[in-house]
Amino acid sequence: LEFRRVLFRSKMNSQFWVADNIGGATKHFVETGTYDGATTGKSFVEGIGIGRLTIGFTQAAPLVNGAVYVSDEEAAKMAHHLLCTEGICVGPSAALNVVGVIKIAKKLNLGPDANVVTILCDSGERYKNTLLNDEWWTEKSFAKPEGAAPGESEAFEWISSV
């Protein structure tokens, strides 16, 4: 929140967006200014779709430019992609943020010179029984994405449009 205020006061051309799980109350709150507890989503991503608005987020919400939804499957596939192609072992919350960045960049038609920042807020080490387990993928009916070789461009066909 303080970081956003500093950038806002400095007149830098910056925007702040939120990525939320499908059906999450956070995106709904950003877009409507109202909170409806019935809009909370169901997600395997811990800490996402918590069903309440925190005081910190309520205070920061007026500074947020927009929000996008990210599905559990998109987050899981991104975590798999980052591990297999980049060697970065992230948890689903961090993966959700990366998918959100891609959706926001597409939505805003950002070009190759744009700077986009996100936070990789969790490690994948706690997910050996879920994201790192083939049986879990089968149980969820998620298809693992085909991994590109490190450094290759990936179209991310499995990320839905915004």
Side-chain angles (χ1 to χ4, degrees), residues 62-93:
L63 304 175
V64 176
N65 297 94
V68 295
Y69 279 137
V70 175
S71 73
D72 281 354
E73 185 169 6
E74 290 169 325
K77 287 181 176 184
M78 181 56 73
H80 182 267
H81 168 79
L82 290 171
L83 180 62
C84 293
T85 62
E86 304 296 332
I88 303 170
C89 185
V90 300
S93 295

Side-chain angles (χ1 to χ4, degrees), residues 56-133:
F57 184 75
T58 304
Q59 293 171 346
L63 304 175
V64 176
N65 297 94
V68 295
Y69 279 137
V70 175
S71 73
D72 281 354
E73 185 169 6
E74 290 169 325
K77 287 181 176 184
M78 181 56 73
H80 182 267
H81 168 79
L82 290 171
L83 180 62
C84 293
T85 62
E86 304 296 332
I88 303 170
C89 185
V90 300
S93 295
L96 180 136
N97 286 350
V98 175
V99 173
V101 162
I102 292 169
K103 288 185 175 197
I104 293 160
K106 287 179 180 180
K107 184 177 186 100
L108 299 177
N109 294 315
L110 298 180
D113 294 330
N115 291 313
V116 181
V117 178
T118 191
I119 296 172
L120 301 181
C121 53
D122 65 339
S123 168
E125 67 187 58
R126 296 179 307 172
Y127 297 93
K128 65 181 178 183
N129 293 325
T130 54
L131 288 174
L132 304 177
N133 182 323

